[in-house]
């Protein structure tokens, strides 16, 4: 009898100890970034810009135009719906290995589903109202066309997306507690100040970047650029010179971006960077995969991305 009671107690203790693992298994793997969708006040100009980056336009649903970065990552451009808005970010998407199970998981956690699962994709809103999609790996959303007639690609990997965050604590409940995103790096413009918090997806090396302490002026034109700097996506590159060379061959020197096409800087995270801006001031940040300079503010706590995407 004592042995039976001991065995039962040990079993319950084992289940309790394993409960975090059980909970983690209830959330399907989230392996990386699928896309970022932005609004455009001038879709033809946006098309010229993204073609200059070497991304061929593909028809998508409705008025959305899609520009393929790789076989499993893309940028979406859709006509601007609110001319008075300073934000041009419409939606970000992450890849999951089981969209149906993830949708059920988030429903069970009380997350409202904005658009239910269709064609391997569903959409929710994070605590600050940002639209967040989850896309089934290998679904028809990943079927892409050919690249004939487009210049060389400047990158084949989106490594992070970033957007304005007002309350890191509120967003952490969604991204860290429910979805399992994990710390990668944080830093700021000044010592002791945190302006950026990078959280990697739970099952890959792409990351989401909280852009904190955004100062808006109330001036529509200035705020459009300020928010565009924050609401951005980043293209990974092995060597920044490679991106510069391809941009030059694709005609960047003859565009309004000419002054940016070779303007490289060393980031606070020790990674070489270069920024270009689409016609609506959304920032496209080229970034080398690994740091080559001094790293400020915090240590990296996870592996760096590479040219090969996590699946």
């Amino acid at each position: 009898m004592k042995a039976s009671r001991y065995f039962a107690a040990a079993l319950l203790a084992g289940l309790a100890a394993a409960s975090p693992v059980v909970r983690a298994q209830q959330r399907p793997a989230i392996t990386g970034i699928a896309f970022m969708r932005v609004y455009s006040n001038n879709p033809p100009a946006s098309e010229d810009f993204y073609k200059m980056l070497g991304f061929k336009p593909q028809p998508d649903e409705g008025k959305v135009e899609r520009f393929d970065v790789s076989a499993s990552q893309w940028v979406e451009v859709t006509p601007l719906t609110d001319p008075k808005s300073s934000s041009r970010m419409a939606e970000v998407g992450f890849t999951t290995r089981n969209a149906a199970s993830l949708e059920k998981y988030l429903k069970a956690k009380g997350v409202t589903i904005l658009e239910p699962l269709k064609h391997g994709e569903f959409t929710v809103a994070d605590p600050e109202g940002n639209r967040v999609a989850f896309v089934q790996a290998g679904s028809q959303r990943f079927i892409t066309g050919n690249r004939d007639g487009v210049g060389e690609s400047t990158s084949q990997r989106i490594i992070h997306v970033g957007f304005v965050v007002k309350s890191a604590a509120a967003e952490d409940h969604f991204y860290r507690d429910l979805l399992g995103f994990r710390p990668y790096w944080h830093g700021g413009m000044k010592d002791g100040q945190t302006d950026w918090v990078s959280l990697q997806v739970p099952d890959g090396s792409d990351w989401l970047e909280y852009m904190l302490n955004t100062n808006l002026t109330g001036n529509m034109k200035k705020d459009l650029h300020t928010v565009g700097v924050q609401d951005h996506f980043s293209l990974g590159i092995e060597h920044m010179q490679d991106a510069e060379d391809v941009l030059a061959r694709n005609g960047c020197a003859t565009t309004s971006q000419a002054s940016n096409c070779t303007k490289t800087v060393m980031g606070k995270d020790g990674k070489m960077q270069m920024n270009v801006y689409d016609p609506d001031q959304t920032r496209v940040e080229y970034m080398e995969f690994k740091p080559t300079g001094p790293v400020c503010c915090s240590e990296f706590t996870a592996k760096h991305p590479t040219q090969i995407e996590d699946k």
Side-chain angles (χ1 to χ4, degrees), residues 10-291:
L11 179 61
L12 289 173
L15 289 173
S19 60
V21 176
V22 173
R23 286 197 296 270
Q25 289 174 340
Q26 292 175 344
R27 175 196 48 77
I30 300 170
T31 58
I33 295 164
F35 68 88
M36 180 171 181
R37 181 185 299 165
V38 297
Y39 290 115
S40 172
N41 194 42
N42 187 343
S46 294
E47 179 175 326
D48 289 342
F49 173 80
Y50 288 106
K51 286 171 68 175
M52 181 189 72
L53 304 189
F55 307 141
K56 183 174 182 176
Q58 309 284 354
D60 209 335
E61 295 185 4
K63 296 182 179 180
V64 175
E65 190 166 30
R66 165 179 169 154
F67 297 84
D68 291 335
V69 177
S70 71
S72 57
Q73 293 182 311
W74 61 93
V75 179
E76 296 180 355
V77 177
T78 190
L80 180 65
T81 54
D82 182 6
K84 295 182 180 180
S85 174
S86 61
S87 175
R88 293 296 188 263
M89 187 184 76
E91 187 168 303
V92 297
F94 297 95
T95 303
T96 177
R97 292 190 185 132
N98 193 327
S101 292
L102 184 58
E103 183 183 40
K104 291 179 182 178
Y105 169 84
L106 290 176
K107 277 184 180 179
K109 298 296 184 182
V111 176
T112 300
I113 307 300
L114 298 180
E115 295 183 9
L117 186 64
K118 181 181 179 181
H119 302 317
E121 179 179 341
F122 70 95
T123 304
V124 302
D126 76 9
E128 295 195 353
N130 300 300
R131 289 176 61 92
V132 181
F134 296 94
V135 188
Q136 173 71 48
S139 69
Q140 67 184 69
R141 295 289 281 131
F142 290 91
I143 299 174
T144 60
N146 64 61
R147 290 183 39 80
D148 295 342
V150 178
E152 296 176 74
S153 177
T154 49
S155 171
Q156 295 182 334
R157 177 83 191 268
I158 299 175
I159 57 174
H160 77 260
V161 295
F163 50 76
V164 173
V165 164
K166 298 174 183 176
S167 170
E171 293 287 73
D172 276 350
H173 175 64
F174 179 73
Y175 291 105
R176 297 185 66 170
D177 298 343
L178 295 186
L179 295 178
F181 281 53
R182 51 210 165 84
Y184 176 53
W185 179 82
H186 67 267
M189 292 298 295
K190 299 178 181 179
D191 291 341
Q193 177 175 306
T194 299
D195 297 313
W196 319 294
V197 176
S198 298
L199 301 174
Q200 279 190 333
V201 298
D203 306 287
S205 56
D206 296 346
W207 71 90
L208 165 65
E209 187 172 24
Y210 293 175
M211 308 299 287
L212 306 171
N213 307 320
T214 301
N215 297 314
L216 301 182
T217 66
N219 180 302
M220 177 66 182
K221 185 174 182 180
K222 288 184 178 179
D223 286 351
L224 179 63
H225 179 74
T226 299
V227 175
V229 169
Q230 314 299 314
D231 294 348
H232 70 287
F233 66 93
S234 179
L235 297 167
I237 193 84
E238 288 284 357
H239 306 288
M240 195 57 60
Q241 187 62 52
D242 295 339
E244 293 181 53
D245 293 344
V246 174
L247 284 172
R249 290 194 290 270
N250 287 356
C252 189
T254 62
T255 71
S256 60
Q257 290 294 327
S259 61
N260 297 322
C261 294
T262 58
K263 189 177 180 180
T264 60
V265 296
M266 180 62 71
K268 293 282 188 176
D269 57 0
K271 298 180 182 181
M272 191 64 71
Q273 303 170 13
M274 177 173 63
N275 297 312
V276 294
Y277 297 83
D278 80 1
D280 284 80
Q281 298 299 298
T282 295
R283 179 166 63 103
V284 180
E285 176 187 47
Y286 287 91
M287 175 181 281
E288 292 185 348
F289 293 119
K290 297 179 181 179

